[in-house]
Every structure is written in C-alpha cells, then in structure tokens.
Amino acid sequence: MAATDKGFAPYHDPGLPPIVMPECSVERKLKGQKALVTGASSGIGKSIAVALGHAGADVVVNYSRDQKGADEAVAALQACGVRAYAQRADVASEDDVLAMFERARAEFGTIDILVANAGLQQDAPFDQMTLAQWNKVISVNLTGQFLCTRESVREFKRRGVKPEVSCAAGKIICVSSVHDVIPWAGHVNYAASKGGISMMMKSVAQEVAPFRIRVNAISPGAIRTPINMDAWQTPEAYAALMKLVPYKRIGETDDIARAAVWLASDDSDYITGATLYVDGGMTLYPGFETGG
Ligand code: NAD
C-alpha cells in the first residue's frame, strides 16, 4: 500500500535546505571534550561538527579545499560558545594527518573524539574503472580513515582515561555507508572502501577495547548532501529513491549528527565495534516490502 493510501502524503521536498542546527544542548554532554571531524566543510561532516559543539565539545574542523564551508562551521561553533578552528589537510596524506594531530594537541591539549567522515565517489562501470579512480577512492575513504584512526588511538593510549571528562579514553566514529553491506554496481571502488571500513573498525575496536577506547561506525543511507544530488534533485529521481527507503523520506544531515553525538557520549559507553545504520530502513530489503 502506498503511503498516500494511508492518509498522509509522502515526504517530498527536493532542493537543498539550509543546515538546521540542533539547539545548543543545556546538558552539554560533551563538555570539556575535544573533537576532530574530517571533511567537515560540507554535508554530514559539517552537521556533525556543529552538533558536537552544541553538545559542548571544542572542535577541529578539517577540510580539504572548501575553506569557506569550514569557516562557516567554525563560526557556527564559536557562536555556541566553544572553541573551534579550521584545519586544511588531505586525509590521504600521512604528512598532512600527522601535522593536523600535532596542531590539535598544541591548540587543545588532546583529542577525545574522532569522527572520520571525509569521503568521495569516483564512479564508473567496472570494466571502465581506471586504477587512478580505484586508488583515489580507496586512499581517501579507507586509508584516510586508517591514518586518522591510528593517530587518535596513539593519542588516546598516551593520555588514558580522565574520568572527569569521559568514561572512555577516546571515541572513534567511522562514517561508513549502507554500501558496507549493500553491493553497488557502478560504484565498486566506493563499496569496497566502505566494506573495508567495516572490518577495519571492528578489528581496531577489538584491539583497543582493553584501553577503554571505543570504535564504532555510522552507516548512513540516502542523506541529502552534495555527494548524491542526482538522487534527490528532481521529483523523478526522488520518487525512484523512495522505492529504496521504507521510511519514505530522504535523510537529513542532522539525522546523522544526532547519532554521532550519542555515540561520542558516555550514554553509549558499553558500545564498541558496532555499526549503527541510520538509513530509514534502506538495509531492510525494501524490494520485499510487499511480501516478495
Ligand atoms: P560531502 O561531499 O558533502 O562531504 C564529503 C567531505 O569530504 C567534503 O567536505 C570533502 O571536502 C571531504 N573530503 C573529500 N576528500 C577529502 C580529503 N582527501 N581530505 C579531507 N577531506 C576530504 O558528502 P557527504 O554526503 O556529507 O559525505 C560524508 C561522508 O558520508 C562520506 O564518507 C560519504 O561516503 C558518507 N555517506 C554519505 C551518504 C549520503 O547519502 N550523503 C550516504 C552514505 C555515506
């Protein structure tokens, strides 16, 4: 039965809305914590960065090229009364990542939360995919997460737990994708990178749990950002997308940001090695909605 048959209209709102910032939390669950968010000049990363700030964390806003977007995130964070600065770094470059963490230690003293979010797509039919396209996506999406996760683990182990700040020595959130479990024709490099993140995240989580370091992933479904404009910009594209989303609306970046704040907070202290699918049911085999 279509959503309209149940008496409500399917959500349909193409066009990129302004980012809706969550209210500054009175509770400030992340007060005193220092966070680093990669790819935070746009989309999901920008919303996560601002939401962490609204929960009380100071935030390093990493960007690769879009300094304007990074500056906007920094301004939104400062307006909320936390410290923030923009840091250019290519997450696929070891030198850039080392320098980014060194500056974070110099500015903030330490890092308590990493959100490894930077990612990109370079799509092609498999038999036309170049080695350069393969390497680019793997190096940013997977190697970038490896480098930032490794530097975070080094810092968390060095510092250890500070109970007045958090139950854990550190929290890592890898932004993966539903394509860590859903194969994706025409995007083999992207799906391989996200599948790789899944096993990297779980293996690191197993290795560092005794140090009270928590490592988890968020796997978004279809979220309205620049990376996937083709999928939501026209009514036709939006209608086709909704066939894949049982909840019948596209996700917004704040849907991911709220989950990230929770995974970074002590409210989720006993959770490590988990993947949280924030996808409106996209991983529920929507093709079987009507019984198959
Ligand atoms: P986006 O294009 O707005 O964000 C990606 C960010 O990564 C950009 O800010 C970009 O500048 C940054 N980036 C790219 N290469 C980089 C590099 N080498 N170093 C540092 N930063 C770099 O798109 P988004 O949708 O917000 O994507 C964020 C993450 O969410 C990605 O990992 C993406 O794979 C994942 N994701 C998005 C969706 C979705 O529907 N939007 C779904 C599943 C997963």
Side-chain angles (χ1 to χ4, degrees), residues 38-46 62-66 87-93 96 116-121 136 139-141 145 175-179 190 193-194 197 218-228 232 250-251 253 256 278:
T38 67
S41 57
S42 64
I44 290 170
K46 192 176 191 178
N62 161 251
Y63 69 99
S64 59
R65 280 199 284 266
D66 177 12
Q87 171 72 48
R88 202 212 69 77
D90 173 357
V91 294
S93 154
D96 280 12
N117 163 78
L120 47 73
Q121 289 177 217
K136 180 73 181 172
S139 70
V140 173
N141 294 14
Q145 294 220 2
V175 177
S176 181
S177 164
V178 290
H179 295 295
Y190 183 84
S193 73
K194 297 301 188 179
I197 287 172
I218 294 176
S219 287
I223 310 298
R224 193 197 308 264
T225 74
I227 212 174
N228 60 357
W232 51 261
I250 195 167
T253 55
I256 308 301
V278 183

Side-chain angles (χ1 to χ4, degrees), residues 3 13 20 44 75 79 81 91 98 123 134 175 181-182 195 205 240-241 260 269 279 287:
D13 179 23
V20 181
I44 290 170
V91 294
L98 292 179
D123 310 327
W134 173 268
V175 177
V181 289
I182 302 177
L241 179 64
D269 186 55
D279 67 352

Side-chain angles (χ1 to χ4, degrees), residues 41 52 69 75 134 179 189 198 206-207 223 227 245 247 264 273 279:
S41 57
L52 293 175
W134 173 268
H179 295 295
N189 47 0
S198 179
Q206 189 188 57
E207 185 169 330
I223 310 298
I227 212 174
V245 184
Y247 204 61
D279 67 352

